[in-house]
Amino acid sequence: MPHKKCAKQNTKRQTKTKFKEFENILEIRHKSLLEILDSRNGNIKDLHSSALKDDSDLAVAHIQGQLDCLIIEKYALELQEVESSLQKIADGTYGICEMCDDEISTDRLRAKPHARYCIDCREVYEKSQRVAKNDKANDDKATKSVAKSW
């Protein structure tokens, strides 16, 4: 009978082999995201070093800088998710839903290789995010209403 540690290592190897296709996809996406982030950071550096001639140049630079920052934020989050998925492959935990611990379907992983949740749990997560967003909006309205009454 194999030792528990050996059994875990064999499971990790089997998982890594099973998900080699996704590991390759994730590594390619990782490289692509790094290139995108490097490019966007370069854009921001160029904006800071450019000689702006008038208010319209300043306005355009400001808007472009904000856009680049939003794009960087979006891709940085995806980069973290890709890196987490690559680590999960190495750990032998890839393809397991972070909410219910069930396997994430191969079809879902093909659609989104860095998926953290199975499709059912993703729907629950998205619904909870919408509720939280609505609660925050309602809190903001209530705060403004109270502030006006003072």
Side-chain angles (χ1 to χ4, degrees), residues 97 99-100 102-105 107-109 111-112 115-127:
C97 177
M99 199 176 289
C100 70
D102 284 345
E103 283 190 28
I104 299 171
S105 73
D107 288 340
R108 171 123 171 90
L109 291 173
K112 185 175 181 181
R116 296 172 50 198
Y117 308 113
C118 67
I119 197 71
D120 293 334
C121 289
R122 180 63 192 185
E123 289 173 6
V124 169
Y125 174 78
E126 287 176 358
K127 186 175 182 178

Side-chain angles (χ1 to χ4, degrees), residues 15-32:
T15 301
K16 192 164 181 167
T17 302
K18 179 180 175 184
F19 294 119
K20 189 69 178 166
E21 164 192 358
F22 297 110
E23 184 177 27
N24 291 335
I25 292 167
L26 288 163
E27 286 173 350
I28 290 167
R29 184 64 182 156
H30 185 265
K31 182 180 177 192
S32 173

Side-chain angles (χ1 to χ4, degrees), residues 38-100:
D38 186 49
S39 172
R40 291 295 173 165
N41 281 319
N43 289 350
I44 290 175
K45 287 177 186 175
D46 291 346
L47 283 173
H48 282 286
S49 64
S50 63
L52 304 174
K53 296 177 181 159
D54 56 30
D55 287 345
S56 63
D57 286 346
L58 183 61
V60 169
H62 178 74
I63 291 169
Q64 185 61 49
Q66 286 182 321
L67 180 61
D68 281 329
C69 285
L70 289 172
I71 291 170
I72 286 169
E73 187 178 310
K74 176 187 177 291
Y75 285 121
L77 179 60
E78 184 181 351
L79 181 65
Q80 288 175 339
E81 292 172 351
V82 167
E83 288 173 343
S84 175
S85 293
L86 288 167
Q87 185 60 51
K88 286 178 182 182
I89 290 172
D91 294 343
T93 58
Y94 180 75
I96 305 297
C97 177
E98 291 181 11
M99 199 176 289
C100 70

